[in-house]
């Protein structure tokens, strides 16, 4: 891990591993065992004044000399349909990002953001409309999970890095986050219960394969030919489909983890039967390894002018893939009444700010 959180002027101590926190705690004149207590409290999402077994003087020192980058809840929406909770979290500098807490039969899952805004420019996406402001620190990504657990009183069983931002454009902080969130002394979320979604930054996929972290790689494909994909996702001009699939295959070979592909259906752009047939072909030739396709109905973002197809279209698309031997499912939409897809609350708040 390259970035050292104690290098900053005010130490970002929630980004520290227990070992780094031990050294920091000692530097503040405290006994090393206080670091384990502090790490465990932070993993629970507790504010400093709730850490009652830590000396008040130590907590004061942490507040004054360090910076506890625990996100605050700016807004919270709860779905009346399925109990999905959407948070708008405010970082210590005022930047806001979204997280979505979902309940499935097999447990809970939290979708977290990795950046404030996004630089990737995908045509259909709300998160990238105003570009990227900055990457989140490991603490700010971890904090979304910890504070959600604190606020709901529930355990977060799994995490998907599918919120605002491109996780592989914030590589070091995301890898640090993966170490922190899976640490048994903290949240202890198994890496096998974590998915990282990327638009396809090929060199970083190879890097991630080499980290020895068994996370599921989820790749946003959204098209089966380079022309269509480049029109929807500018990143494809840099890393075209063949190179991307070669990286996915390498990821599978190195980690043994089945790669999953996201394919958002957009009316008239990528949702025809021919698109499905070509997708099956491209995956079979390019991957030659087990994979799964998650079909997503476009969540319409007014500014993009793109439209979502009929549900029947999605079923036809899925059947075409399955009949050609490709695993595919349509993603169930949770929190439909609270617009739980990411990027839209942050956008609303930015607009409100501009109008003020
Ligand atoms: N940057 C990462 C992760 C964030 S987006 C990535 O590109 O994978 C999470 C998923 O939602 C991606 O598959 C993304 O393409 C998709 N997505 C973004 N906007 C969407 C929209 N309006 N409707 C449906 N899916 C969308």
């Amino acid at each position: 891990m390259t970035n050292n959180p104690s290098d900053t002027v005010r130490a970002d101590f929630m980004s520290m591993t227990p070992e780094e926190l031990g050294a920091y705690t000692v530097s503040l004149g405290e006994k090393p065992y206080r670091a384990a207590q502090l790490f465990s409290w932070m993993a629970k999402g507790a504010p400093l004044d709730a850490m009652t077994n830590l000396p008040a003087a130590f907590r004061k020192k942490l507040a004054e000399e360090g910076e506890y980058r625990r996100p605050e809840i700016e807004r919270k929406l709860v779905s009346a349909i399925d109990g999905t909770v959407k948070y708008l979290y405010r970082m210590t500098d005022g930047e806001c990002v979204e997280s979505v807490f979902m309940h499935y039969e097999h447990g809970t899952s939290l979708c977290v953001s990795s950046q404030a805004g996004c630089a990737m420019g995908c045509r259909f996406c709300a998160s990238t409309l105003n570009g990227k402001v900055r990457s989140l620190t490991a603490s700010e990504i971890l904090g979304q999970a910890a504070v959600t657990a604190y606020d709901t009183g529930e355990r977060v069983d799994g995490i998907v890095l599918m919120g605002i931002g491109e996780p592989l454009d914030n590589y070091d902080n995301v890898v640090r986050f993966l170490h922190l969130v899976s640490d048994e002394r903290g949240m202890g979320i198994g890496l096998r219960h974590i998915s990282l979604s990327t638009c396809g930054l090929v060199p970083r996929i190879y890097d991630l394969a080499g980290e020895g972290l068994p996370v599921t790689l989820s790749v946003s494909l959204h098209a089966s030919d380079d022309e269509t994909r480049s029109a929807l996702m500018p990143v494809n001009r840099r890393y075209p489909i063949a190179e991307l699939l070669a990286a996915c295959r390498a990821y599978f070979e190195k980690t043994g983890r089945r790669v999953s592909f996201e394919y958002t259906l957009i009316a008239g752009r990528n949702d025809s039967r021919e698109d499905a047939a070509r997708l099956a072909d491209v995956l079979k030739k390019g991957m030659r390894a087990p994979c799964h396709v998650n079909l997503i109905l476009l969540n319409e973002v007014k500014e993009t002018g793109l439209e979502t197809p009929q549900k029947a279209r999605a079923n036809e698309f899925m059947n075409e893939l399955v009949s050609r031997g490709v695993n595919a499912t349509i993603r169930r939409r949770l929190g439909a009444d609270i617009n739980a897809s990411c990027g839209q609350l942050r956008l609303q708040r930015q607009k409100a700010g501009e109008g003020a």
Side-chain angles (χ1 to χ4, degrees):
M1 285 184 275
T2 49
N3 52 339
N4 185 346
S6 54
D7 284 349
T8 48
V9 186
R10 286 177 66 198
D12 169 15
F13 54 85
M14 196 189 191
S15 284
M16 294 181 188
T17 63
E19 290 69 29
E20 290 164 345
L21 203 55
Y24 178 62
T25 301
V26 170
S27 80
L28 293 182
E30 289 291 332
K31 294 272 192 307
Y33 74 90
R34 295 292 184 199
Q37 291 175 321
L38 176 59
F39 188 77
S40 156
W41 275 119
M42 292 191 290
K44 291 188 173 79
L48 282 174
D49 58 14
M51 301 181 182
T52 45
N53 61 353
L54 294 181
F58 179 39
R59 283 184 268 152
K60 188 156 177 270
K61 235 182 262 173
L62 286 170
E64 286 170 5
E65 298 188 19
E67 185 176 18
Y68 189 16
R69 301 191 76 134
R70 172 184 183 271
E72 295 280 344
I73 300 172
E74 172 80 13
R75 279 183 76 187
K76 174 182 174 181
L77 303 174
V78 183
S79 166
I81 303 172
D82 51 41
T84 297
V85 187
K86 180 158 184 167
Y87 292 97
L88 184 65
Y89 278 119
R90 190 179 67 254
M91 306 296 129
T92 45
D93 67 349
E95 277 304 318
C96 285
V97 299
E98 292 166 42
S99 316
V100 183
F101 189 52
M102 295 159 285
H103 299 83
Y104 293 99
E105 262 163 42
H106 54 269
T108 63
S109 174
L110 183 73
C111 175
V112 297
S113 296
S114 57
Q115 297 181 311
C118 185
M120 297 297 127
C122 298
R123 297 283 175 258
F124 43 83
C125 181
S127 302
T128 197
L129 285 171
N130 292 336
K132 174 175 94 178
V133 177
R134 67 173 176 88
S135 282
L136 299 187
T137 57
S139 50
E140 290 168 332
I141 309 173
L142 179 70
Q144 295 167 60
V147 175
T148 298
Y150 190 76
D151 182 62
T152 59
E154 290 178 69
R155 187 181 151 77
V156 176
D157 296 312
I159 291 196
V160 292
L161 281 149
M162 285 188 189
I164 297 169
E166 168 48 49
L168 297 186
D169 182 40
N170 184 16
Y171 188 85
D172 290 344
N173 289 325
V174 164
V175 167
R176 178 175 275 277
F177 156 76
L178 292 171
H179 285 283
L180 294 176
V181 78
S182 58
D183 195 305
E184 289 295 338
R185 296 162 288 184
M187 293 195 80
I189 300 178
L191 292 164
R192 289 169 194 280
H193 300 285
I194 299 180
S195 291
L196 183 152
S197 181
T198 178
C199 64
L201 298 180
V202 165
R204 296 281 90 79
I205 293 177
Y206 287 102
D207 291 344
L208 188 66
E211 297 283 351
L213 302 168
V215 298
T216 299
L217 183 68
S218 221
V219 173
S220 299
L221 200 54
H222 307 325
S224 55
D225 65 274
D226 282 320
E227 197 188 333
T228 309
R229 191 165 192 269
S230 294
L232 292 174
M233 305 176 70
V235 69
N236 194 68
R237 290 186 211 125
R238 186 110 186 250
Y239 306 114
I241 294 175
E243 284 178 35
L244 177 56
L245 293 183
C248 293
R249 181 150 179 247
Y251 189 87
F252 170 76
E253 282 168 357
K254 195 85 190 258
T255 64
R257 305 288 294 161
R258 185 178 75 160
V259 174
S260 74
F261 293 96
E262 289 148 288
Y263 193 104
T264 295
L265 293 161
I266 307 172
R269 300 295 289 262
N270 64 359
D271 64 338
S272 71
R273 187 167 284 217
E274 294 71 55
D275 287 308
R278 193 169 45 231
L279 178 60
D281 198 46
V282 160
L283 285 179
K284 273 193 264 177
K285 289 196 182 123
M287 274 301 283
R288 282 171 285 144
C291 63
H292 182 267
V293 176
N294 267 313
L295 296 170
I296 309 166
L297 281 158
L298 177 75
N299 184 26
E300 290 179 5
V301 176
K302 196 173 77 254
E303 289 83 348
T304 70
L306 299 170
E307 291 174 8
T308 194
Q310 301 290 324
K311 183 77 197 291
R313 238 311 129 95
N315 285 328
E316 277 168 30
F317 199 97
M318 181 182 72
N319 292 339
E320 187 70 33
L321 288 177
V322 172
S323 74
R324 289 168 183 271
V326 175
N327 277 308
T329 45
I330 300 174
R331 186 175 289 168
R332 191 155 67 95
R333 186 147 186 243
L334 291 176
D337 55 333
I338 53 168
N339 208 351
S341 307
C342 267
Q344 312 221 5
L345 273 190
R346 177 171 194 274
L347 204 61
Q348 270 175 25
R349 188 176 181 276
Q350 279 184 327
K351 280 192 189 146
E354 281 160 17

